[in-house]
Amino acid sequence: MGRQPCCEKVGLKKGPWTAEEDKKLINFILTHGQCCWRAVPKLAGLLRCGKSCRLRWTNYLRPDLKRGLLSEQEEKLVIDLHAQLGNRWSKIASHLPGRTDNEIKNHWNTHIKKKLKKMGVDPVTHKPLVSNPSDPPQSLQNHHQQKEEQSCSTSSADAAKTPSADNFIDSVLTEAKEEEDGTSCMANASLLETIEVMDMNSFCTDEVPLIDPSDILVACPPSSSISSSSSSYNNGGGGGGGGNFIQELQFPDLDWSYGEFGNSGDGDNQHSKPWDDDDFINWDFLVGSVDDKTLMLDPHPVNSCQRSALDQSSWTNELVQ
DNA sequence: AAACACACCAACCGCGCTTCT
DNA sequence: AAGAAGCGCGGTTGGTGTGTT
């Protein structure tokens, strides 16, 4: 069957989002929650297609997003998961709270791929990269040999496994790490333990709990970081932000279950709390907007999605602070 | 200081799956 | 059962920032 474009292309804006557009989208979702994406642009007064709005929200504006580079542990987890799942970025992202599939995909393509190749690992198969498959480099053969001889295996389950792509990556990563900073086998074991714990703590869509709105704390960055450039505004300097300007805010009790904040819309998010203190680093314009009175949160929500429990004035006051 | 190359990442595109009628 | 609509996913592109010559 033929498929129409996701939206009438005529008259719709493309390209980088402006602060004003972000404001509109955030404002809309804050007041109405997430509903039919196709209707969002119309209702929010945006000249974008619904798809673009959804993408902007899930990949950038969602308040529970972590910014900045993936940590070593996250990176390791991504590699492990990629070995199991392949390029199913949304599935991989579901194991990394606060990370989006797009972010992980980008990180994979720009960092991890290179790193693995450098280490002699095929980023696609997670097996040794060799010109002649029957003749792997000595160093790689050693990896397998050493791996089998290792007395400090990460788990009995691992030990029981036959050598796999996963194990190979583990050993290569372990060695690379040792070469890098001289950490011991025990240290790596603890790293892997941590990752296993992360794995155990991650959960899928169906396990996503609902949050008590009163538990939600939001960081409030300073308005001074507002940039006039859409792009620098978007990039935000890599997101190391947070830091000393953190203020805690009560967040309106929108009907946003964790599921709705799930990665790439599957609702598969797995946070013990939806937003970290470092969140909202890109929401500086929100504060600025309140300052200059351009952002008005609707004090009269029209459905159960909107906040009700929190006193409007205290919420606004805290936002302005 | 200017030009160029490279790296990074937000956003777009098209397809597939699911749901609705 | 079939078509239509909506949404999500994965691949790709293009703009911007940063480093190098």
Side-chain angles (χ1 to χ4, degrees):
Chain A
M1 88 192 105
R3 186 176 181 76
Q4 290 187 333
C6 71
C7 47
E8 273 75 22
K9 307 269 178 185
V10 276
L12 289 186
K13 193 168 176 290
K14 282 168 64 175
W17 280 64
T18 65
E20 191 61 32
E21 288 176 310
D22 281 348
K23 254 190 289 181
K24 283 183 180 174
L25 182 56
I26 291 171
N27 193 17
F28 178 81
I29 294 179
L30 279 176
T31 51
H32 298 88
Q34 286 178 72
C35 58
C36 163
W37 282 113
R38 205 176 169 89
V40 165
K42 223 173 244 177
L43 297 171
L46 290 162
L47 288 171
R48 296 273 182 174
C49 70
K51 201 173 185 176
S52 183
C53 293
R54 180 178 56 81
L55 231 64
R56 182 63 179 168
W57 175 257
T58 54
N59 286 336
Y60 194 78
L61 298 175
R62 244 172 57 202
D64 61 327
L65 291 177
K66 280 185 198 166
R67 310 302 302 179
L69 286 175
L70 271 72
S71 69
E72 197 175 296
Q73 291 176 355
E74 287 175 315
E75 206 169 88
K76 171 72 172 63
L77 187 54
V78 168
I79 294 169
D80 283 347
L81 290 166
H82 187 271
Q84 297 167 32
L85 302 169
N87 290 0
R88 296 165 72 187
W89 303 114
S90 64
K91 293 288 174 205
I92 293 173
S94 72
H95 290 264
L96 288 110
R99 301 294 187 183
T100 68
D101 54 350
N102 203 38
E103 191 179 9
I104 291 170
K105 185 172 57 182
N106 280 334
H107 190 77
W108 178 270
N109 288 329
T110 56
H111 293 99
I112 301 178
K113 243 180 177 177
K114 285 179 202 162
K115 203 179 270 188
L116 290 179
K117 278 179 185 169
K118 204 174 163 188
M119 291 188 297
V121 179
D122 186 341
V124 178
T125 62
H126 291 253
K127 288 177 179 167
L129 252 183
V130 288
S131 48
N132 178 357
S134 63
D135 183 26
Q138 190 61 39
S139 63
L140 296 180
Q141 292 177 354
N142 288 344
H143 272 303
H144 285 295
Q145 207 172 344
Q146 286 166 9
K147 179 73 178 178
E148 285 171 9
E149 289 167 0
Q150 273 177 359
S151 58
C152 59
S153 67
T154 56
S155 70
S156 56
D158 277 351
K161 278 192 228 165
T162 54
S164 63
D166 255 1
N167 289 344
F168 174 73
I169 301 269
D170 277 355
S171 65
V172 173
L173 281 172
T174 300
E175 181 157 310
K177 176 84 178 120
E178 280 171 6
E179 283 168 5
E180 216 170 90
D181 60 20
T183 51
S184 68
C185 178
M186 289 301 289
N188 285 295
S190 81
L191 169 65
L192 290 170
E193 260 174 42
T194 309
I195 290 163
E196 277 164 19
V197 168
M198 287 171 68
D199 250 336
M200 288 173 61
N201 288 342
S202 60
F203 46 84
C204 298
T205 320
D206 301 336
E207 305 163 71
V208 171
L210 292 173
I211 189 173
D212 179 341
S214 63
D215 291 341
I216 303 173
L217 296 175
V218 180
C220 176
S223 57
S224 61
S225 60
I226 295 174
S227 162
S228 58
S229 146
S230 165
S231 170
S232 59
Y233 156 78
N234 285 343
N235 291 331
N244 56 8
F245 55 73
I246 297 296
Q247 298 175 21
E248 290 185 348
L249 291 178
Q250 290 287 340
F251 209 70
D253 68 333
L254 305 177
D255 186 17
W256 290 347
S257 66
Y258 289 170
E260 286 174 329
F261 281 114
N263 293 299
S264 295
D266 255 356
D268 33 58
N269 217 353
Q270 53 295 126
H271 299 181
S272 57
K273 117 181 160 176
W275 300 299
D276 287 331
D277 292 340
D278 281 342
D279 296 341
F280 287 85
I281 60 169
N282 304 297
W283 287 44
D284 43 2
F285 57 84
L286 251 182
V287 177
S289 304
V290 169
D291 282 341
D292 63 28
K293 306 287 186 288
T294 57
L295 173 69
M296 297 299 291
L297 294 171
D298 182 3
H300 305 295
V302 295
N303 61 31
S304 63
C305 290
Q306 289 89 49
R307 70 193 132 104
S308 56
L310 184 68
D311 174 75
Q312 166 74 29
S313 58
S314 69
W315 147 249
T316 310
N317 285 343
E318 289 213 62
L319 199 64
V320 173
Q321 274 171 17

